[in-house]
Amino acid sequence: MNSNKVIYGLYDDDDKLLHATKKLVSRGFTVNEVYSPFPVHGLDTAMGLRYSRMAITSFIYGVIGAFLITLLMWYIMIEDWPMVIGGKPNFSYGQNLPAFIPVTFEATVFCAAHLMVITFLFRCGLYPGRGVFAGSKKYNPDPRTTDDKFLMEICDVDTKKIQKIEIIMKETGAVEIQIGDYKVKKRKKIISIKQYLKNNLSGIFKFLPKKKK
Amino acid sequence: MHYKSPMREPLILGNKDLHDITVDIARPIETKANRWWWALFTISFAAMLWLFGCIFYLIGTGVGVWGLNNSVGWAWDITNFVWWVGIGHAGTLISAVLLLFRQKWRLSINRSSEAMTIFAVVQAGLFPLIHMGRIWMAYWIFPLPNQFGSLWVNFNSPLLWDVFAISTYFSVSLVFWYMGLIPDFAMIRDRAINPIAKKVYTFLSFGWSGRAKHWQRHEVISLVLAGLATPLVLSVHSIVSMDFATSVVAGWHTTIFPPYFVAGAIFGGFAMCQTLLLIARKVLDLQDYITIKHMEYMNIIILVTGSIVGCAYLTELFIAWYSGVELEQYAFLDRATGSYWWAYAIMMTCNVISPQLMWFKKLRRNILFTFILALFVHIGMWFERFVIIITLHRGPLPSSWHDYSPTYIEIGTFIGTCGFFLVLFLLYARTFPVIAQAELKTIVKSSSTKYNKNLHYLDKEELVKLNKINKKK
């Protein structure tokens, strides 16, 4: 989070933006962020973003939901009060299973959908009222990007590199270029999962007594 | 750019670029409502107040103020419930099923149809509550630990499944709708001049910034929610249908109900979409986005689902005859020739015969015809539920045969829910972006008159004519 030079290139066309991103990435620059009014298809792969794991979380939440509701219905209907209601068999969960399917299904969908959305909001740092008192700078460097403009943000310290980036941006059709020293969170470089685990998990095991040689 | 078949009609007319879309969609929010809006709002608001009056009277006095009797314990209440839930289904179908099928024409209608879903489910949700004899004990349907030795609910009842189905359906639809709204609220926020409006839309937009990673995640969750909402929409109305199908009443106990109710729900829901959008596109001046082609696509779905419903009616009749069960045969004979034959006749005419007119291209591209047909479908689908429910009046025991007629409280409740629905929809139309502009902007290059000059599906004269028609109506 050190005070970087940040270069902003404003584009008015998604194809130009995509082309510029590919060009800059192929020259070895990291496109830190792109603000766009709609999802530009292929931009995430061009920027080198990792695939989103939202779908995986949803699956896990769904499984949890199905398990919990099964546990609840088994406890209520079979274990706690095994009452005979309308002659339905209640000796085991399996005997009365067909009647439990609809609720199991709904609970699975409920958990899968809602918990995934909460995860999405959490991971993107979105919450009701964000930026109400902080002003627009808090969330977006240029308000035109929700209308029809596309803003590319590149962080770099080196002035020479900044000039190179500026030239490429101009070549690829940027309508406005601004250089400033805003405090911008730099996007982490993509690392392999193996490396990620190595970096992050090694800390967890620190509490274990070290083996003496 | 990708290849686009020249056969396809453009979905955005009138040479719109990205900024034009923003301006057009923000206009209803940034301008003041006209006289028509206020007139309609006043009428709907009055109807809504009437609804609340009816409900207070009902709860204060008892369910006996309705025209129900010992044989017909369910009538207008459940009819209206199923009708409203059914209307909601088209919204989810448009936003979820058509998303899975990558139908681009859904983009300019999905926001409004989802709003329609939400508001229709609100109306539907009233009925299971108010038709209870003791509404103040409604919370007993939840399996909450309690002081009665933890007395639980019974998970065998379809009415309990309904609680789970409707609450899941409502909340998931709401979240799905809201996630789509976030980028659009951000657009309104960034345009807002009025400081209060700016604060409100900043609050509503959750601080959306349109970052690449956020968009990537947003697209994934939209797709997953669509994948979850699709089986949800099929299950919810199936569960509603099981209120009848799992009973032992002849005429109700049929295995065809779950798919047939779902088809009917989509049929009725699309008709409501037509009714609302045909007015909205005119009043909000969105004819360039909600075009005749959109109307035609929806009419085709009405035709398909109407045919499925018709097929189900005939299947029911065939099976009743084929079963050899006198009770069931009589149930259907009574429907066709009994004291409610007129309801059955209205249902058959409106649901089976009238949608077949959609085979004619001239008719399904005609706005006035579409509007009238949609009204027919509303009536037909209401009577379908009524016909099914009123089967109760001729049960297995002739000594408990009773006819039923509604009181003005029941009628007032139904009209009141229409008013409440319209109040919500009218407020929505002036404060929310009625078209999912962020998504619509993705097809500007592939499917608009501005960027697709070489469309051969029509010659130039026809295109000009089409533009004119779209502008005029």
Side-chain angles (χ1 to χ4, degrees):
Chain A
M1 286 272 253
N2 46 352
S3 173
N4 283 326
K5 280 273 184 225
V6 177
I7 178 160
Y8 285 111
L10 195 73
Y11 290 82
D12 59 358
D13 186 283
D14 49 336
D15 289 322
K16 282 181 197 162
L17 172 90
L18 198 59
H19 175 66
T21 310
K22 282 177 184 163
K23 200 164 184 179
L24 282 160
V25 170
S26 68
R27 300 279 165 87
F29 300 107
T30 313
V31 175
N32 193 52
E33 194 62 79
V34 170
Y35 301 89
S36 62
F38 58 82
V40 180
H41 290 274
L43 184 68
D44 46 351
T45 40
M47 281 170 72
L49 297 177
R50 246 201 297 186
Y51 69 94
S52 170
R53 288 164 294 184
M54 286 297 147
I56 300 168
T57 66
S58 177
F59 177 77
I60 295 166
Y61 295 139
V63 171
I64 292 170
F67 173 74
L68 289 180
I69 198 75
T70 305
L71 192 69
L72 181 79
M73 289 194 292
W74 166 80
Y75 178 72
I76 289 174
M77 299 296 291
I78 310 296
E79 182 63 21
D80 203 20
W81 296 80
M83 308 258 291
V84 179
I85 303 158
K88 294 246 181 189
N90 58 9
F91 302 106
S92 72
Y93 192 78
Q95 279 175 318
N96 205 356
L97 186 67
F100 301 145
I101 298 291
V103 174
T104 312
F105 175 82
E106 298 299 333
T108 309
V109 170
F110 187 90
C111 292
H114 287 297
L115 295 175
M116 176 187 65
V117 167
I118 291 168
T119 311
F120 163 74
L121 293 175
F122 182 76
R123 289 290 286 137
C124 293
L126 303 172
Y127 52 85
R130 182 181 167 211
V132 171
F133 300 107
S136 67
K137 274 278 176 285
K138 176 94 176 166
Y139 42 77
N140 196 340
D142 192 329
R144 284 174 295 175
T145 55
T146 51
D147 178 4
D148 60 343
K149 297 286 190 286
F150 305 81
L151 189 73
M152 189 191 281
E153 174 187 277
I154 299 176
C155 309
D156 234 306
V157 231
D158 196 348
T159 349
K160 268 191 180 170
K161 274 188 181 173
I162 290 267
Q163 279 170 346
K164 267 188 192 170
I165 294 166
E166 200 177 347
I167 290 163
I168 296 173
M169 279 183 170
K170 266 184 190 159
E171 269 177 12
T172 50
V175 272
E176 264 180 51
I177 295 169
Q178 279 185 358
I179 303 166
D181 6 53
Y182 301 113
K183 279 183 182 171
V184 172
K185 198 176 173 187
K186 211 168 177 179
R187 186 153 68 86
K188 275 183 198 159
K189 252 201 153 166
I190 304 150
I191 47 169
S192 68
I193 294 173
K194 207 174 159 189
Q195 189 68 39
Y196 177 85
L197 291 175
K198 230 178 181 178
N199 292 350
N200 288 279
L201 288 185
S202 58
I204 297 172
F205 300 105
K206 270 182 184 162
F207 67 90
L208 294 171
K210 274 178 190 166
K211 273 183 190 170
K212 279 173 189 170
K213 278 176 192 172
Chain B
M1 287 304 292
H2 62 283
Y3 170 76
K4 183 173 183 300
S5 167
M7 296 292 288
R8 293 191 182 278
E9 257 180 68
L11 297 172
I12 301 170
L13 304 176
N15 286 335
K16 303 285 181 185
D17 61 17
L18 295 176
H19 185 63
D20 295 333
I21 293 180
T22 309
V23 172
D24 285 343
I25 290 164
R27 196 190 309 110
I29 302 167
E30 291 167 354
T31 55
K32 278 190 176 151
N34 60 14
R35 233 179 288 162
W36 285 105
W37 187 89
W38 279 110
L40 198 55
F41 184 76
T42 314
I43 297 166
S44 323
F45 198 79
M48 186 181 79
L49 291 181
W50 181 245
L51 166 75
F52 294 147
C54 285
I55 291 176
F56 284 132
Y57 180 60
L58 172 81
I59 294 168
T61 317
V63 179
V65 299
W66 282 351
L68 303 171
N69 54 52
N70 277 345
S71 296
V72 186
W74 271 358
W76 273 51
D77 46 355
I78 302 298
T79 304
N80 297 335
F81 164 68
V82 182
W83 190 71
W84 277 118
V85 174
I87 281 169
H89 278 54
T92 320
L93 190 97
I94 289 170
S95 57
V97 180
L98 298 184
L99 175 76
L100 295 183
F101 285 112
R102 303 281 176 201
Q103 294 298 306
K104 286 179 176 168
W105 60 274
R106 85 176 198 286
L107 291 172
S108 43
I109 54 173
N110 65 350
R111 174 67 42 73
S112 295
S113 50
E114 281 169 54
M116 184 190 82
T117 297
I118 310 280
F119 304 147
V121 177
V122 168
Q123 308 314 321
L126 282 174
F127 288 101
L129 289 172
I130 63 168
H131 91 306
M132 283 183 201
R134 282 168 284 179
I135 190 176
W136 49 93
M137 287 177 178
Y139 70 97
W140 283 15
I141 53 172
F142 296 110
L144 300 166
N146 53 54
Q147 74 274 39
F148 307 112
S150 270
L151 190 61
W152 302 112
V153 293
N154 163 28
F155 279 95
N156 288 319
S157 167
L159 297 179
L160 187 79
W161 307 343
D162 263 355
V163 173
F164 279 83
I166 300 295
S167 55
T168 303
Y169 183 53
F170 178 71
S171 63
V172 172
S173 300
L174 188 69
V175 161
F176 191 11
W177 186 54
Y178 203 86
M179 286 303 114
L181 272 165
I182 285 178
D184 290 12
F185 278 142
M187 180 273 276
I188 305 288
R189 167 197 74 194
D190 288 342
R191 283 177 58 85
I193 301 160
N194 180 345
I196 297 166
K198 191 146 193 126
K199 284 267 183 284
V200 169
Y201 286 105
T202 308
F203 185 87
L204 292 173
S205 64
F206 285 23
W208 175 261
S209 51
R211 289 162 196 265
K213 186 70 193 177
H214 294 187
W215 273 123
Q216 186 203 34
R217 288 190 185 125
H218 191 270
E219 288 214 291
V220 171
I221 67 153
S222 301
L223 194 62
V224 173
L225 283 176
L228 290 168
T230 302
L232 187 65
V233 79
L234 301 180
S235 78
V236 168
H237 219 65
S238 298
I239 289 173
V240 169
S241 82
M242 285 175 202
D243 294 348
F244 311 102
T246 59
S247 73
V248 292
V249 177
W252 283 12
H253 185 74
T254 22
T255 49
I256 201 177
F257 267 19
Y260 145 47
F261 265 52
V262 172
I266 294 162
F267 179 58
F270 266 89
M272 186 57 95
C273 266
Q274 295 279 38
T275 310
L276 292 176
L277 289 177
L278 282 173
I279 297 171
R281 71 196 282 275
K282 174 97 179 89
V283 174
L284 304 175
D285 196 19
L286 297 170
Q287 288 105 319
D288 288 334
Y289 305 104
I290 302 165
T291 66
I292 304 283
K293 190 67 195 168
H294 291 88
M295 295 293 138
E296 190 183 3
Y297 277 133
M298 287 204 274
N299 279 336
I300 291 169
I301 292 188
I302 287 179
L303 171 61
V304 170
T305 49
S307 304
I308 295 172
V309 168
C311 192
Y313 292 163
L314 298 180
T315 309
E316 267 188 336
L317 286 174
F318 171 74
I319 294 295
W321 165 77
Y322 190 61
S323 69
V325 179
E326 284 90 348
L327 277 175
E328 192 163 341
Q329 286 171 349
Y330 179 70
F332 283 90
L333 188 72
D334 177 63
R335 276 183 196 180
T337 60
S339 40
Y340 293 99
W341 66 271
W342 48 273
Y344 191 71
I346 291 173
M347 166 189 118
M348 278 293 183
T349 323
C350 292
N351 289 353
V352 183
I353 298 163
S354 68
Q356 298 305 321
L357 293 169
M358 290 300 187
W359 286 104
F360 302 103
K361 189 167 183 173
K362 273 240 165 92
L363 291 178
R364 68 170 184 258
R365 288 181 77 96
N366 184 317
I367 290 177
L368 185 67
F369 177 80
T370 304
F371 191 77
I372 293 167
L373 189 108
L375 293 180
F376 270 86
V377 173
H378 295 321
I379 296 166
M381 284 315 290
W382 193 90
F383 274 105
E384 180 199 297
R385 278 68 180 251
F386 182 73
V387 162
I388 290 167
I389 287 160
I390 207 64
T391 303
L392 289 171
H393 84 129
R394 292 286 180 271
L397 203 63
S399 59
S400 44
W401 284 0
H402 280 293
D403 275 356
Y404 158 85
S405 64
T407 63
Y408 73 97
I409 303 290
E410 273 157 305
I411 300 167
T413 310
F414 173 60
I415 293 169
T417 51
C418 295
F420 192 9
F421 176 77
L422 273 178
V423 164
L424 292 172
F425 196 84
L426 286 167
L427 287 175
Y428 149 82
R430 296 229 62 90
T431 48
F432 281 44
V434 287
I435 291 177
Q437 54 88 25
E439 286 186 271
L440 192 69
K441 282 172 182 173
T442 60
I443 62 159
V444 166
K445 280 198 171 168
S446 59
S447 194
S448 71
T449 45
K450 187 178 174 71
Y451 290 90
N452 292 281
K453 296 258 193 273
N454 54 344
L455 290 160
H456 320 307
Y457 77 100
L458 297 168
D459 51 44
K460 263 202 178 139
E461 271 178 42
E462 266 191 296
L463 190 65
V464 171
K465 217 171 96 188
L466 189 75
N467 263 321
K468 261 189 195 160
I469 292 169
N470 274 311
K471 263 267 172 286
K472 219 164 45 184
K473 293 202 173 155

